[in-house]
Amino acid sequence: MTPPTDTAPHDGALVEPRTRTHGSTVGPGCWVRHGVSLEDSTLAAGVFIGFRSAIAAADFGPGAMVASLARVGEPGGARVTVGAGAWIAARAVVAPGVRLGRGAVVAAGAHVTRDVPDDTVVVGRPARILRHRTPVEDGLPDPSAIVALVRRRAPRAVTLPPSWRVGTGGLLDAEFGGGVDVRIGPGPIALGRPDGPSPLGGIRLGTGVRIGARAVLEAGGGLSVGDRTVLGPDVQVLSSGHDLGRRSLPWRAGPVSIGADVLIGAGVTVIGPCTIGDRARVADGAIVVGDVPEGRTTHGVLTPSDTRSPR
């Protein structure tokens, strides 16, 4: 497994491997990450699409951004319109025919079924308005600086500790360290290096850690996991975020620290900065956006049966 590279020229865009762009147009300066499905859609200049997101019948304005594992539109459905500089967070869903206004923000895990006005933050399933924002006008989001950094870095083989076992079929672009007897299931995506956007980047896994299939570990802001902790299949950990107070949505590190003997269920999303204490339990499908005390069981701020607002 090797670091990301271009699959084909797209007018200065970076389109990573295992990405499907059927019937779609990718504008200059876009960054489309590993495993994205892009069907019958258009991306204006400077759009970012995160890992394994599924986009169909959608039109994105300049500087729009989509985090990993999001779903926008459906094949053959009414077209989705995403305004300039809008932000769609991790595992969010945008239904066919929806219009997201300029600078709209869709929170992690939200399910949007109706139009969202400009500069409005929505949360929940179905999504509802949380607040409006008045950002500093410092220009639209632009991934070009990080794209340039990725292209400048010399590709290198990832070195794993000798007792670790990692399944095939994924993407590894991280600096790893930690204990022994670590197992990671097939199809992992893992990134985070100290020569990335933050010197905190990297993944440290304790002795006996187990991580299920298809994990997405975005550790640009740093990720540490304690001994004997188990992460279920389809878990997503994001150690970064964006400053919603500025139009440009600048990237910022959000380190994630997960303690020892923690059990994290299937399909969980953990968004830093946060600390999950020793022996904590996180229920299947939860979205965690804050600290979880030692020994506590949490359903997060949003699960399939929970529509509470974020803490």
Side-chain angles (χ1 to χ4, degrees), residues 14 31 41 47 62 74 80 97 154 188 253 302:
L14 174 57
W31 189 6
S41 296
V47 171
E74 295 178 1
V80 173
L302 188 65

PDB file of all heavy atoms in Angstrom, residues 14 31 41 47 62 74 80 97 154 188 253 302:
ATOM      1  N   LEU A  14      -6.038  16.929  -8.112  1.00  0.00           N
ATOM      2  CA  LEU A  14      -5.446  15.693  -7.619  1.00  0.00           C
ATOM      3  C   LEU A  14      -6.576  14.685  -7.405  1.00  0.00           C
ATOM      4  O   LEU A  14      -7.426  14.869  -6.527  1.00  0.00           O
ATOM      5  CB  LEU A  14      -4.707  15.934  -6.300  1.00  0.00           C
ATOM      6  CG  LEU A  14      -4.146  14.693  -5.593  1.00  0.00           C
ATOM      7  CD1 LEU A  14      -3.201  13.915  -6.497  1.00  0.00           C
ATOM      8  CD2 LEU A  14      -3.429  15.091  -4.305  1.00  0.00           C
ATOM      9  N   TRP A  31      -9.450  18.338  -5.133  1.00  0.00           N
ATOM     10  CA  TRP A  31      -8.777  17.187  -4.518  1.00  0.00           C
ATOM     11  C   TRP A  31      -9.839  16.146  -4.223  1.00  0.00           C
ATOM     12  O   TRP A  31     -10.711  16.350  -3.381  1.00  0.00           O
ATOM     13  CB  TRP A  31      -8.068  17.618  -3.243  1.00  0.00           C
ATOM     14  CG  TRP A  31      -7.165  16.571  -2.647  1.00  0.00           C
ATOM     15  CD1 TRP A  31      -6.836  15.345  -3.167  1.00  0.00           C
ATOM     16  CD2 TRP A  31      -6.454  16.676  -1.402  1.00  0.00           C
ATOM     17  NE1 TRP A  31      -5.971  14.683  -2.340  1.00  0.00           N
ATOM     18  CE2 TRP A  31      -5.716  15.477  -1.249  1.00  0.00           C
ATOM     19  CE3 TRP A  31      -6.375  17.657  -0.426  1.00  0.00           C
ATOM     20  CZ2 TRP A  31      -4.914  15.245  -0.142  1.00  0.00           C
ATOM     21  CZ3 TRP A  31      -5.579  17.425   0.678  1.00  0.00           C
ATOM     22  CH2 TRP A  31      -4.855  16.235   0.823  1.00  0.00           C
ATOM     23  N   SER A  41     -21.771  14.247 -11.973  1.00  0.00           N
ATOM     24  CA  SER A  41     -21.638  15.407 -11.099  1.00  0.00           C
ATOM     25  C   SER A  41     -20.603  16.376 -11.650  1.00  0.00           C
ATOM     26  O   SER A  41     -19.769  16.016 -12.478  1.00  0.00           O
ATOM     27  CB  SER A  41     -21.236  14.971  -9.682  1.00  0.00           C
ATOM     28  OG  SER A  41     -22.252  14.188  -9.085  1.00  0.00           O
ATOM     29  N   VAL A  47     -12.731  22.256  -5.187  1.00  0.00           N
ATOM     30  CA  VAL A  47     -13.610  21.428  -4.367  1.00  0.00           C
ATOM     31  C   VAL A  47     -12.809  20.273  -3.767  1.00  0.00           C
ATOM     32  O   VAL A  47     -11.941  19.692  -4.424  1.00  0.00           O
ATOM     33  CB  VAL A  47     -14.789  20.894  -5.204  1.00  0.00           C
ATOM     34  CG1 VAL A  47     -15.596  19.857  -4.427  1.00  0.00           C
ATOM     35  CG2 VAL A  47     -15.674  22.044  -5.650  1.00  0.00           C
ATOM     36  N   PRO A  62     -17.548  26.544  -6.236  1.00  0.00           N
ATOM     37  CA  PRO A  62     -16.125  26.614  -5.898  1.00  0.00           C
ATOM     38  C   PRO A  62     -15.887  26.571  -4.393  1.00  0.00           C
ATOM     39  O   PRO A  62     -16.633  27.157  -3.613  1.00  0.00           O
ATOM     40  CB  PRO A  62     -15.681  27.953  -6.503  1.00  0.00           C
ATOM     41  CG  PRO A  62     -16.942  28.726  -6.716  1.00  0.00           C
ATOM     42  CD  PRO A  62     -18.005  27.728  -6.978  1.00  0.00           C
ATOM     43  N   GLU A  74     -28.311  10.863  -5.282  1.00  0.00           N
ATOM     44  CA  GLU A  74     -28.457   9.467  -5.677  1.00  0.00           C
ATOM     45  C   GLU A  74     -28.435   9.370  -7.191  1.00  0.00           C
ATOM     46  O   GLU A  74     -28.908  10.280  -7.887  1.00  0.00           O
ATOM     47  CB  GLU A  74     -29.779   8.895  -5.150  1.00  0.00           C
ATOM     48  CG  GLU A  74     -29.885   8.806  -3.645  1.00  0.00           C
ATOM     49  CD  GLU A  74     -31.227   8.270  -3.195  1.00  0.00           C
ATOM     50  OE1 GLU A  74     -32.069   7.956  -4.071  1.00  0.00           O
ATOM     51  OE2 GLU A  74     -31.439   8.166  -1.969  1.00  0.00           O
ATOM     52  N   VAL A  80     -28.677  17.700  -6.791  1.00  0.00           N
ATOM     53  CA  VAL A  80     -28.297  18.425  -5.580  1.00  0.00           C
ATOM     54  C   VAL A  80     -27.423  19.603  -5.997  1.00  0.00           C
ATOM     55  O   VAL A  80     -26.560  19.475  -6.870  1.00  0.00           O
ATOM     56  CB  VAL A  80     -27.531  17.511  -4.615  1.00  0.00           C
ATOM     57  CG1 VAL A  80     -26.987  18.306  -3.432  1.00  0.00           C
ATOM     58  CG2 VAL A  80     -28.411  16.367  -4.137  1.00  0.00           C
ATOM     59  N   GLY A  97     -32.222  16.454  -4.738  1.00  0.00           N
ATOM     60  CA  GLY A  97     -33.017  17.661  -4.912  1.00  0.00           C
ATOM     61  C   GLY A  97     -32.748  18.766  -3.925  1.00  0.00           C
ATOM     62  O   GLY A  97     -33.287  19.867  -4.058  1.00  0.00           O
ATOM     63  N   ALA A 154       8.151  13.271  -1.010  1.00  0.00           N
ATOM     64  CA  ALA A 154       8.626  12.079  -1.706  1.00  0.00           C
ATOM     65  C   ALA A 154       7.824  10.868  -1.244  1.00  0.00           C
ATOM     66  O   ALA A 154       7.699  10.623  -0.036  1.00  0.00           O
ATOM     67  CB  ALA A 154      10.103  11.855  -1.413  1.00  0.00           C
ATOM     68  N   PRO A 188      -8.054  -0.844   5.131  1.00  0.00           N
ATOM     69  CA  PRO A 188      -7.902   0.354   5.956  1.00  0.00           C
ATOM     70  C   PRO A 188      -7.445   1.561   5.139  1.00  0.00           C
ATOM     71  O   PRO A 188      -6.715   1.429   4.151  1.00  0.00           O
ATOM     72  CB  PRO A 188      -6.805  -0.047   6.949  1.00  0.00           C
ATOM     73  CG  PRO A 188      -5.942  -0.990   6.153  1.00  0.00           C
ATOM     74  CD  PRO A 188      -6.906  -1.765   5.282  1.00  0.00           C
ATOM     75  N   ALA A 253      -5.674  21.172  13.573  1.00  0.00           N
ATOM     76  CA  ALA A 253      -5.446  19.882  14.212  1.00  0.00           C
ATOM     77  C   ALA A 253      -6.408  19.692  15.374  1.00  0.00           C
ATOM     78  O   ALA A 253      -6.760  20.645  16.078  1.00  0.00           O
ATOM     79  CB  ALA A 253      -4.004  19.792  14.712  1.00  0.00           C
ATOM     80  N   LEU A 302     -25.136  11.503  18.200  1.00  0.00           N
ATOM     81  CA  LEU A 302     -26.067  11.165  17.133  1.00  0.00           C
ATOM     82  C   LEU A 302     -25.906   9.704  16.767  1.00  0.00           C
ATOM     83  O   LEU A 302     -24.836   9.260  16.384  1.00  0.00           O
ATOM     84  CB  LEU A 302     -25.793  12.032  15.900  1.00  0.00           C
ATOM     85  CG  LEU A 302     -26.799  11.932  14.765  1.00  0.00           C
ATOM     86  CD1 LEU A 302     -28.158  12.466  15.210  1.00  0.00           C
ATOM     87  CD2 LEU A 302     -26.311  12.733  13.571  1.00  0.00           C
TER      88      LEU A 302
END
